[in-house]
Every structure is written in structure tokens, then in C-alpha cells.
Amino acid sequence: MTTVAELERRVEAGEDGLGDILEVSMGPHHPSTHGVFRMDVRLEGEKVVRLKPVFGYLHRNHEKIAEHGAYLSAIPYTDRLDYLCSMTNNWGYVLAVEKLAGIPVPERAEYIRVIVAELTRFQNHAGLVGFLLQDMGASGTPLMYAFREREKILDLFESLSGARMMCNYLRFGGLRVDCTAAWLEEVRRLVAGLPKFVDEFEALLRTNEILMARTQGTGILPRELAINAGVTGPMLRASGVNYDIRKVDRYGVYDRFEFRVPLGDHGDVYDRYMMRILEMRESLKILEQALRGIPEGPIMDPKTRLRGLRPKAGEAYGRIEAPKGELGFFLISDGTGNPYRYRVRPPSMINLTILEDMCLGHNIADVVVILGSVDIVLGEVDR
Amino acid sequence: MTALPTAEDLKAQIEAGVPGAMVTIVPNGSPSAQDSLLLDHEHARAVALFLRDHPDLRLDFCSLVTGVDWLDTELTEKVKVKKLAAGPDGVETEQEVEETRKTKVPGYLEAVYHLFSMEKKHGPPSLPVVLRLRTANRSDRNHVPSLTSVWRSCEFQEREAFDLYGIVFDGHPDLRRILMWEGFEDHPMRKDYVPPADDILLEARP
């Protein structure tokens, strides 16, 4: 294969006979990018020899907005980071504030947090598999299966928090409102039906010939590179690294639940797809246990002042296992009512670091599949 | 899983393992108690490699890289100075007079790295090892060494700190703007950034 530097020299020298070298700008409005995201791809025939991700189209300087407001007023903005998973975004942020100011959380609130977070993970993974299959040409059907279940979960979020996607539900020191017994009953009924959906979803796809041909051996991410590049979440575990922050940090009440961390062998797109399916099953296990164990009690720490919180000068880093990977918030307080520094560690952006490495040598059509398996949301990548 | 050594132990280990390295502990006043280590530029990369490859630490995962802007501050202190001053009777005697002295403390930009270990895990809960690098000032001497060659995860995040804060990472393989567009001049996350007053929408109106 010709090296990139050699090609660049020949292109710049205006050499003839380079008709098989093509510069393609995929995006910003390419359907596979699920948002506004561009890849500058250089092709030799159909083979990718260079790929540079370009983003920032949705950049609104989220961090600056949060630094100008009170601690409380950043919560609704975090909903808009990864707009499919507002509950887990809230959790990442409130966890950082709780660490910064040393705020305790009542037990019932911790259980409800686990319930909403695992429901969020479930709908995110279901949606991702649907989109991935859509990108491979399975137009509609798997996505609609996924969205049928997602819809039920969003309905539950709506009756709990008032909004389907922009939930703005968690608060440092607890939650905004308590859930009712009827709501918990609804969740129990839904969770009882979900294993059947996963079985059905998996049976339709797992041994599908086209899926296997397109994904097995495609976009392999070696274990060492995944660690060094800071890849987190299901992508990291598909490469065989046992690192789940729910297990490593045991934030909230995750130490009380029995669940396994599924791991992949090859780190290809198929493993990443299977990781989502297996994690959905583990989420259901956690949900069943949380619904069984949820205690009665308050949902807010009575001493916490939501408005006018002024943490002591200092800093804290709080992180959670969001559906897409490690979502962290780094806060520096200077003792005033708004954070001096507010930083989001966006898992989807950092997982894009190795996109080029995974795509080199593959056909252009595989780029779409590989990008689909990373699971990005541009609201979070661009912030 | 073993617990991570304290900041003091880490400092001692680094200074023993990397000859010449200067490490300063930056205390953290919040209940999170995540103290950080301020490194000198010359040995930053060697220290990073030491932390990554040390058999007990194995800090193989650089989770978060970010910039922080600390503005120039003015330090006001009251000093008692002995001066010759005329008393009420007109005779000059030595008296103690209080004077306010103002010294300008130059601000700096700071790159902050949060490290964890995927191999050792160190927990639960696993606290980060926080490294800091500081520039000499906020204007012309805004360089720090890049750690992308140690942890690939720094690549995009150092670009972001360059883009939004104007920290130049020496040795970064591809230091370009990442979120703002090419040709944009300023660094919007700086504390003294003033957004342009002109309204693009009004200008676009025919």
C-alpha cells in the first residue's frame, strides 16, 4: 500500500494517473453521522487511506454557559449534552457537585437514580442497535422494534419528571420529585416484559448473515490501543478490558446489586454490537433488584441548599458509567455561587480519537458501520 | 485492588524515580480531597511515563485533560514602615507608618490531567491522580509540554485546551483548532474573553 505521505506528495505535485485517489468529505449532513459531523476521507479506490474527523458544528460553549450560572442552573443544560440520556447526564453532574461540597444522598433517592439510569442505558443501547442496523441497510424494522420499547420508557420518564427527553430530574442531594407507588408498579410491569423483547431482538439479528459478514472482523480495536486512547464504555469492554465504573467506583448503591460485566474477545463491530445486547440484559437484572429493594424515605438531603449553594474553595472530579462510556464532570469552586471551572469529559468525543485507526484499510462502506458502532451523539461531542 | 498512595508518597516516589523532577503538591480544600501534583516542564513527560509504567501504579488511563485560566491578580498587603515624619510640634522624628503595597501576581494557564489505572483499578472508590502543568503567563509564554505521546487520549483534549484556552502543547502531533472554526482568533473559554459585539444575523440582512 502506498503511504499517505507519498500520496500527498504526488497529489500536490499534480501528477497524472492518480484518478483512483479521491478526497471525500463525508458529512456534515450525511445520514450515517446522526447529526452534524464530518469525516475528511482520502480514498485509494474504495480503500480508506486517511480519515480525519471534523466536528464543532453544534458547539455552543456549554462549559462557559455553566460557569456563568449557579450550580443548580447547570442541571437542565446537562440534559442537552447527550440528549438521548438526560438522566445519566444529570447524575454525572450532581455526583461531581456532591463530591465537591460533601453532600450526602438519601437511600431512596439512590435507588430511584439507579432505576432511571438503567432504564436510560436500556433505551440507549436498544436505539443504538437499531441505528447501527439502519446504517447497514436494514431499513426501519430493527429501529422500529427498538423505538417501540424506547417509547414505553420515555412515557415513564414523562410521568415521572414531566419531560420525555429533557428530564432535568436529579438534584445534588437527591431528586426533584418522588415517584409514586403506581409509577414503580408501571416500571415493574415494563421490566417484566423487556427480557422477551431482548430475546426477540437478538434472535432476529444475532445470526443474520449480512450482519455477520459486515461486522465480524471490521474495525478491530486492539486492547492496548483502547486503553491508551482512553476509550471507555461498551467499546472498551468489547476489546476485552474489564473496566466498568459501576464496579470500579461503586458510586451510588451499585455495590448492592449482582450483575456481570460482559467482555468481548475481538474488539470488532460485532463484539461491540453484542456488548450492547448483553449489557441490556445486565441492566434488566439491576432493575429487578433495585425495584425489589427500594426503601421508603426522603428523597432530598434536608440540609442541602439547592439555590445559593456555595461550596468551599477546592475541586472535585465525579464520574459515572454513562451508556456511552465514562461521563465525568470536573468542577473547581472559588467559594462563590457559580463554578470557577466546569468541565465535561465527553465519552463520545474521546471515543472518536481512534476512529481513523479503526477505519484504515477498510472500504468506505465500512466507515459508516464502524462509526455507527462507536455510538456518538453530537450534542455531547461538540458541547 | 489496592489503594492509591497519598500525594506525599507519590511525590517521593516520583522524585526518587525521575532524577531532577520537581513536584509540588497543590492542596485541595474541598471534601473530595483530591490533591494534585504540579510538575515542571522539563521532566513532565518522564514523570508521565514513570507513572504509566510503574509496576504498582500503572496509571495507564488518562481520563480527562483540560485547561484552567487563572487571571492576573493584585496582592494587597499592609506593611509597617519606619519613616521620618514631622510631629505636631514640627520636629522630625522616626515614626511607624502603615503603607499599602500592591504587587501584581501574573496569572497563568493550567493544563490539568486526571489519571486512573485500568489494570490496577485502585479502589473502590478509585480516586484520580491529578497532574498539573502551568504556563509562565497568559500571553506570550503559554507553552506546556504535550503528553499525547504518553497517552493517546490527550490528543483531542489537548487540542480542545489549545482551541478554547490558547495553551500551546509542545510536541503535539496535530495541534489545530477542534471546536471553533479555522481562522477564529480568540480563545473563548478564557475568563477575560469578550464576545464580538457585531450581530451576524443583522449583518446578513440585505
Side-chain angles (χ1 to χ4, degrees):
Chain A
M1 204 171 90
T2 335
T3 63
V4 176
E6 169 72 5
L7 276 175
E8 263 171 4
R9 194 191 55 73
R10 286 165 68 193
V11 170
E12 261 148 44
E15 201 176 303
D16 280 344
L18 288 171
D20 52 350
I21 292 194
L22 201 61
E23 298 255 8
V24 183
S25 176
M26 275 180 80
H29 292 292
H30 193 278
S32 76
T33 62
H34 307 287
V36 270
F37 175 71
R38 186 157 66 92
M39 288 171 283
D40 274 342
V41 191
R42 181 169 289 168
L43 299 171
E44 193 183 348
E46 273 201 65
K47 202 187 295 166
V48 177
V49 292
R50 199 184 81 155
L51 183 145
K52 293 284 171 208
V54 181
F55 44 83
Y57 295 93
L58 220 58
H59 181 55
R60 64 266 184 204
N61 221 337
H62 170 82
E63 292 174 5
K64 190 97 177 174
I65 297 171
E67 283 176 15
H68 279 302
Y71 282 90
L72 177 66
S73 62
I75 298 176
Y77 282 113
T78 62
D79 288 341
R80 280 118 182 120
L81 284 169
D82 171 0
Y83 40 74
L84 298 175
C85 309
S86 63
M87 292 287 195
T88 45
N89 296 344
N90 288 174
W91 197 354
Y93 174 64
V94 299
L95 190 77
V97 179
E98 281 155 10
K99 278 194 176 180
L100 181 70
I103 301 172
V105 185
E107 212 179 354
R108 182 176 171 85
E110 294 278 25
Y111 270 83
I112 299 176
R113 283 180 182 189
V114 169
I115 293 170
V116 293
E118 293 309 320
L119 285 172
T120 302
R121 193 182 318 277
F122 189 93
Q123 59 92 16
N124 177 76
H125 285 0
L128 174 94
V129 172
F131 279 122
L132 181 63
L133 270 291
Q134 171 107 336
D135 290 345
M136 275 186 244
S139 196
T141 314
L143 187 62
M144 288 305 126
Y145 268 72
F147 266 51
R148 184 188 63 198
E149 303 309 311
R150 180 169 176 263
E151 208 58 15
K152 295 176 192 165
I153 293 173
L154 294 192
D155 284 346
L156 284 173
F157 284 173
E158 188 180 10
S159 63
L160 180 65
S161 72
R164 296 161 66 75
M165 288 169 80
M166 304 295 133
C167 297
N168 181 17
Y169 179 60
L170 273 63
R171 292 288 180 268
F172 29 89
L175 306 165
R176 182 156 53 85
V177 285
D178 200 353
C179 67
T180 59
W183 186 83
L184 282 174
E185 210 39 59
E186 284 287 313
V187 180
R188 278 192 194 103
R189 201 171 314 141
L190 175 75
V191 169
L194 285 176
K196 188 168 163 283
F197 156 74
V198 186
D199 290 344
E200 186 185 64
F201 205 44
E202 198 183 337
L204 278 172
L205 302 170
R206 187 156 97 170
T207 52
N208 180 298
E209 238 180 283
I210 299 172
L211 178 91
M212 285 161 77
R214 290 288 307 273
T215 59
Q216 289 184 344
T218 306
I220 292 175
L221 176 62
R223 188 191 150 89
E224 285 67 35
L225 179 62
I227 295 175
N228 194 250
V231 172
T232 44
M235 254 189 100
L236 174 75
R237 294 189 285 274
S239 294
V241 184
N242 187 350
Y243 196 76
D244 186 320
I245 296 167
R246 290 173 294 176
K247 290 274 190 198
V248 177
D249 275 14
R250 305 198 179 167
Y251 60 93
V253 284
Y254 273 114
D255 52 340
R256 301 188 191 175
F257 307 122
E258 292 267 328
F259 65 101
R260 293 180 308 160
V261 180
L263 296 176
D265 290 329
H266 308 93
D268 56 3
V269 175
Y270 186 80
D271 274 5
R272 294 202 272 279
Y273 150 75
M274 275 311 290
M275 218 42 51
R276 265 79 185 210
I277 300 277
L278 294 172
E279 283 195 5
M280 277 155 75
R281 291 192 190 282
E282 297 304 316
S283 284
L284 291 180
K285 273 193 213 163
I286 298 172
L287 275 168
E288 280 164 16
Q289 294 169 57
L291 287 165
R292 216 180 305 133
I294 182 169
E296 290 294 330
I299 51 142
M300 263 308 285
D301 172 49
K303 287 199 195 110
T304 302
R305 289 171 61 205
L306 282 178
R307 285 165 207 277
L309 177 80
R310 286 165 180 273
K312 239 172 39 178
E315 62 180 49
Y317 180 58
R319 57 176 194 162
I320 61 154
E321 182 72 34
K324 291 174 170 63
E326 174 184 329
L327 176 69
F329 286 81
F330 174 53
L331 299 170
I332 300 182
S333 164
D334 57 354
T336 59
N338 52 330
Y340 185 81
R341 179 75 180 104
Y342 166 102
R343 157 79 180 169
V344 188
R345 183 210 189 266
S348 5
M349 181 184 104
I350 294 158
N351 287 357
L352 280 176
T353 313
I354 34 68
L355 184 65
E356 182 176 26
D357 303 71
M358 291 194 291
C359 291
L360 287 183
H362 282 295
N363 285 349
I364 180 89
D366 292 333
V367 171
V368 174
V369 181
I370 294 169
L371 179 67
S373 72
V374 178
D375 192 7
I376 58 167
V377 160
L378 274 302
E380 184 180 86
V381 175
D382 294 344
R383 281 160 293 132
Chain B
M1 290 194 226
T2 49
L4 202 65
T6 59
E8 284 77 17
D9 288 348
L10 271 176
K11 175 181 150 81
Q13 282 192 35
I14 292 169
E15 283 172 347
V18 185
M22 301 265 290
V23 182
T24 319
I25 293 174
V26 182
N28 176 3
S30 102
S32 71
Q34 295 164 359
D35 291 346
S36 46
L37 305 170
L38 177 68
L39 307 181
D40 64 319
H41 289 191
E42 203 185 321
H43 298 91
R45 195 171 169 274
V47 171
L49 281 171
F50 172 79
L51 293 173
R52 189 190 72 179
D53 298 333
H54 189 284
D56 293 335
L57 298 173
R58 294 289 291 137
L59 298 166
D60 48 10
F61 171 40
C62 179
S63 165
L64 172 113
V65 184
T66 187
V68 185
D69 184 12
W70 299 97
L71 290 168
D72 299 341
T73 45
E74 211 165 52
L75 206 69
T76 320
E77 46 183 355
K78 289 202 168 154
V79 216
K80 284 192 174 164
V81 195
K82 283 192 176 163
K83 261 189 181 174
L84 283 177
D89 50 355
V91 185
E92 280 201 349
T93 47
E94 199 168 283
Q95 286 179 346
E96 266 201 352
V97 187
E98 220 172 57
E99 253 185 17
T100 13
R101 247 187 235 169
K102 284 186 177 174
T103 33
K104 207 182 156 196
V105 182
Y108 49 84
L109 300 164
E110 192 172 54
V112 185
Y113 296 77
H114 281 66
L115 312 176
F116 292 94
S117 173
M118 283 195 185
E119 192 187 301
K120 295 281 176 192
K121 295 196 176 75
H122 301 302
S126 55
L127 291 174
V129 171
V130 188
L131 303 182
R132 300 181 112 89
L133 293 168
R134 285 179 185 166
T135 65
N137 62 25
R138 300 174 65 249
S139 47
D140 53 332
R141 296 175 64 201
N142 55 351
H143 289 247
V144 297
S146 162
L147 299 181
T148 301
S149 56
V150 182
W151 294 287
R152 181 78 191 282
S153 51
C154 303
E155 187 183 337
F156 281 8
Q157 301 192 74
E158 282 183 352
R159 270 178 73 185
E160 193 181 319
F162 164 71
D163 186 359
L164 303 183
Y165 280 96
I167 306 173
V168 179
F169 291 90
D170 293 327
H172 191 284
D174 184 23
L175 199 63
R176 289 179 289 132
R177 286 197 177 269
I178 190 165
L179 293 172
M180 305 304 283
W181 55 95
E182 274 173 48
F184 185 81
E185 298 261 305
D186 216 335
H187 304 290
M189 276 303 285
R190 287 205 183 184
K191 289 284 174 188
D192 53 0
Y193 173 75
V194 183
D198 52 59
D199 193 329
I200 298 167
L201 291 177
L202 282 176
E203 273 176 21
R205 206 168 280 167

